[in-house]
């Protein structure tokens, strides 16, 4: 099978590519601006992995690639960077990108289209655990929450009208090698522990008891691989994350277990934004896909810091 | 300060234009297909009501109009008629219209944009009442519900989640079922009953319209003149603390009550309904209206009986719709 991953040269995309190649699939990955060739996959470029430059917001671009490479499955991960564009451009790229992959999937007779949705869809709920069946508020607090909700509404509408199989993957906070925006805390802690510096707390010092559902990128890639390769799926929304509300203190402790001398501190207590049971319910992906996280916070931190120590592209 | 009312010769739009001009507001009206004003706007048209034949979904249209007429508020009531049987093209047309619209409003410095939505966004919920912050299912099975949902989700993002120069405020108006003068599509039951009663004909209970109604099925219905008054009241409110307002009488009406209200005026009009509730009955399926009652000066003037009487008077005066 050939899988096309839009934004496949991004952080999650490259790890997913590796997981799919190891499962015996051929992968076409697209990139827009940034070329990357991390050690774990570059030897497959030009072999199992084909790289194509593509602007997903332009009509028919993905469709042509899907036809050219006899693609049987599309994974749509490409999105503009957070806060990179104006309101209008952000809208144009997100929505035209979605419509482009919907058309590509139909016209190239792709078996299944899997979309990167996000834990952000649950952002405006007061507490968790977050289930795929939860009803969600119309108003959204940020553009990511907005566009992922709009993607799901419109792509399910499209699926109902055309019969295309569309799967929304609600992906948790993902961290690990190649992560570069440094928005999430575990990535900043890993970098600080490796560099022997204070973490970047320019957005404020995190609270020790605040929690989040973060998932190591290699586990996330396995989850996406299962969505792609499973012959028959019973539902059209799947949470993909750790299913655990890990505290910031546990993340610091994980980093300290790898680098005991790291200078990592937090402020005590909980922030006003603290939510109870702030994690994704993973029972659907566990029971249907057999999805399990192989990396706990400590194993993940050790793996990430080891990667940084090896001198890899960060 | 001018208010741009899009779809101003449409069913709800014409009633809103009437309320605004009666209140002495300066308005510009867009109408794309409908160029004949309803009789109750003929005087306003003679008096020089500004009417623009324009498809507000075209790139640049909103910006051009808003700049030309110094528009500070937009009331968007235009139905986007252009659609496609190709689902991807249909989504593209509808989403492009939204982005052209908001980009135009942002670029021309419009301050307030009132956007018409409706209760279809709650179509997948098993029962009501539906509050402004009631959560929804992201499934998109029902066409108007899917696009209204996506529009609402995306609209507030434009206004709130970016560092933008403009002070644009977007308010969603979720409007209940509406009936009254100039309604044409004849989907809702009170319109079909009143048209039939006025012409002394049996009502259209054909299969195409859903068959003979069930007496205990309920509807969330507001008279067109009340809806228009609510839009004006929201516009006139100094500072709306919320971004979404339901416009509804805030209760349900049974099919049998609608029939009885018509029979009260037209005593020989006595159509028989199927007894009980139908298979699609949902309990309390109405939009709660406590927010609009609290934050604006609106209250509905018409109950079902007085609305039906007013509507029948209009039809009996020789109006076609």
């Amino acid at each position: 099978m050939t899988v096309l991953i839009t934004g496949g040269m991004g952080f999650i995309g490259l790890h997913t590519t590796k997981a799919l190649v190891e499962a015996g699939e051929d992968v076409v990955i697209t990139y827009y601006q940034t070329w990357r060739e991390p050690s774990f996959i570059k030897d497959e470029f030009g072999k199992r992995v084909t790289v194509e430059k593509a602007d997903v917001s332009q009509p028919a671009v993905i469709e042509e690639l899907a036809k050219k490479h006899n693609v049987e499955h599309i994974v749509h991960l490409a999105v503009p960077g957070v806060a990179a564009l104006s309101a209008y451009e952000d809208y144009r790229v997100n929505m035209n990108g979605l419509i482009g992959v919907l058309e590509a999937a139909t016209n190239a007779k792709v078996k299944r289209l899997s979309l990167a949705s996000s834990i952000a869809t649950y952002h405006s709920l007061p507490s968790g655990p977050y289930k795929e069946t939860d009803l969600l508020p119309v108003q959204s607090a940020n553009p990511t929450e907005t566009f992922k909700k709009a993607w799901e509404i419109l792509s399910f509408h499209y699926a109902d009208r055309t019969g295309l199989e569309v799967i929304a993957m609600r992906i948790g906070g993902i961290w690990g090698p190649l992560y570069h925006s440094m928005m999430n805390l575990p990535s900043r802690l890993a970098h600080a522990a490796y560099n022997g510096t204070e973490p970047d707390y320019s957005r404020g010092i995190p609270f020790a008891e605040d929690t989040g559902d973060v998932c190591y990128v290699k586990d996330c890639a396995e989850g996406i691989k299962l969505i792609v390769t499973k012959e028959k799926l019973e539902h059209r929304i799947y949470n993909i994350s750790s299913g655990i509300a890990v505290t910031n203190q546990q993340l610091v402790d994980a980093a300290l277990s790898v680098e005991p001398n790291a200078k990592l501190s937090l402020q005590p207590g909980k922030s006003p934004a603290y939510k109870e049971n702030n994690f994704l319910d993973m029972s659907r992906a566990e029971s249907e896909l057999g999805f399990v996280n192989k990396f706990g916070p400590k194993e993940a931190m050790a793996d990430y810091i080891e990667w940084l120590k090896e001198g890899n592209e960060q | 300060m001018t208010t741009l009312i899009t779809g101003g010769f449409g069913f709800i739009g014409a009633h809103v234009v009437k309320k605004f001009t009666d209140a002495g507001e300066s308005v510009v009206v867009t109408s794309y297909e409908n160029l004949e004003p309803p009789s109750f706007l003929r005087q306003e048209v003679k008096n020089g009501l500004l009417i623009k034949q324009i498809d507000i979904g075209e790139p640049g249209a909103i910006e051009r109009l808003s700049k030309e007429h110094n528009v500070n508020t937009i009331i968007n009531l235009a139905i986007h008629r252009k659609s496609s049987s190709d689902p991807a093209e249909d989504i593209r047309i509808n989403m492009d219209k939204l982005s052209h619209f908001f980009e135009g409003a942002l670029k021309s410095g419009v301050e307030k944009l009132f956007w018409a939505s409706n209760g279809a966004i709650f179509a997948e919920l098993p029962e009501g009442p539906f509050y402004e912050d009631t959560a929804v299912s992201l499934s998109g099975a029902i066409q108007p519900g899917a696009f209204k949902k996506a529009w609402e989700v995306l609209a507030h993002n434009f206004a709130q989640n970016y560092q933008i120069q403009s002070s644009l405020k977007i308010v969603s108006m979720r409007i209940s079922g509406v009936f009254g003068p100039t309604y044409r599509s004849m989907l809702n039951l009170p319109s079909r009953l009143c048209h039939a009663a006025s012409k002394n004909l049996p009502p259209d209970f054909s299969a195409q319209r859903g068959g003979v109604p069930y007496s205990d099925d309920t509807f969330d219905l507001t008279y067109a003149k009340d809806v228009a008054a609510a839009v004006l009241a929201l516009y006139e409110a100094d500072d709306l603390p919320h971004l979404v307002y339901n416009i509804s009488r805030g209760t349900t009406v049974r099919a049998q009550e609608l029939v009885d209200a018509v029979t009260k005026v037209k005593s020989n009009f006595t159509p028989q309904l199927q007894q009980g509730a139908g298979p699609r009955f949902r309990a309390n399926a109405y939009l709660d209206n406590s927010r609009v009652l609290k934050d604006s000066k609106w209250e509905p003037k018409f109950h079902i009986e007085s609305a039906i009487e007013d509507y029948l008077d209009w039809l009996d005066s020789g109006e076609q719709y």
Side-chain angles (χ1 to χ4, degrees), chain A:
Chain A
M1 172 165 74
T2 300
V3 181
L4 185 150
I5 308 180
T6 72
M9 210 172 246
F11 160 55
I12 295 174
L14 285 165
H15 288 280
T16 303
T17 301
K18 179 175 192 315
L20 285 167
V21 166
E22 284 176 354
E25 313 297 352
D26 292 321
V27 186
V28 178
I29 61 178
T30 75
Y31 75 105
Y32 178 49
Q33 284 171 323
T34 311
W35 178 274
R36 288 160 154 169
E37 39 180 39
S39 54
F40 63 74
I41 193 69
K42 71 174 180 188
D43 291 346
E44 293 291 346
F45 285 10
K47 297 175 189 163
R48 307 298 297 272
V49 178
T50 306
V51 183
E52 294 273 11
K53 187 171 170 67
D55 177 354
V56 297
S57 72
Q58 295 304 312
V61 165
I62 298 303
E63 181 176 331
E64 280 163 23
L65 289 179
K67 287 177 174 168
K68 175 179 162 191
H69 296 286
N70 293 317
V71 164
E72 289 150 88
H73 193 129
I74 295 177
V75 179
H76 183 42
L77 301 179
V79 286
V82 172
L85 299 175
S86 69
Y88 177 71
E89 280 299 304
D90 211 13
Y91 180 95
R92 193 187 65 79
V93 175
N94 270 288
M95 302 319 290
N96 288 355
L98 177 74
I99 296 165
V101 295
L102 291 172
E103 276 185 318
T106 297
N107 295 342
K109 300 184 173 61
V110 161
K111 179 183 178 312
R112 183 181 294 155
L113 168 65
S114 302
L115 302 173
S117 184
S118 168
I119 188 174
T121 55
Y122 300 115
H123 178 91
S124 295
L125 293 179
S127 63
Y130 309 112
K131 291 194 170 79
E132 290 93 340
T133 50
D134 286 345
L135 299 174
L136 299 171
V138 170
Q139 285 196 47
S140 303
N142 60 67
T144 302
E145 181 183 358
T146 302
F147 289 119
K148 297 307 187 189
K149 284 180 185 169
W151 275 21
E152 289 196 22
I153 293 165
L154 293 172
S155 59
F156 293 150
H157 172 67
Y158 183 87
D160 289 344
R161 280 173 73 172
T162 60
L164 175 71
E165 185 179 13
V166 176
I167 304 298
M169 306 180 289
R170 291 186 181 159
I171 298 173
I174 306 302
W175 64 294
L178 300 178
Y179 182 75
H180 57 97
S181 75
M182 292 300 129
M183 298 285 279
N184 66 39
L185 182 63
S187 298
R188 279 182 279 149
L189 293 175
H191 277 257
Y194 162 68
N195 290 322
T197 56
E198 304 261 344
D200 174 5
Y201 286 163
S202 53
R203 294 184 194 85
I205 301 170
F207 289 81
E209 293 174 46
D210 273 5
T211 63
D213 187 341
V214 291
C215 175
Y216 196 53
V217 66
K218 293 182 180 179
D219 282 328
C220 171
E222 282 298 308
I224 297 174
K225 181 197 82 180
L226 292 170
I227 294 279
V228 170
T229 53
K230 180 92 174 167
E231 186 60 28
K232 185 166 165 36
L233 295 173
E234 299 299 322
H235 296 93
R236 57 186 187 184
I237 305 175
Y238 290 88
N239 287 342
I240 296 180
S241 195
S242 76
I244 295 166
V246 66
T247 65
N248 289 338
Q249 187 62 53
Q250 287 172 310
L251 294 172
V252 164
D253 292 346
L256 289 172
S257 75
V258 182
E259 295 290 337
N261 300 321
K263 296 172 221 156
L264 309 174
S265 58
L266 299 166
Q267 56 177 312
K270 295 170 184 168
S271 74
Y274 175 83
K275 290 183 188 181
E276 291 290 337
N277 299 316
N278 193 23
F279 62 91
L280 302 183
D281 179 298
M282 290 304 303
S283 48
R284 183 177 281 180
E286 283 167 8
S287 64
E288 244 188 79
L289 306 173
F291 176 60
V292 286
N293 278 247
K294 294 198 176 66
F295 293 83
K298 283 183 184 168
E299 295 81 18
M301 201 62 85
D303 191 68
Y304 192 1
I305 292 172
E306 183 61 28
W307 157 270
L308 295 173
K309 281 182 179 168
E310 283 169 3
N312 285 299
E313 181 191 354
Q314 295 185 3

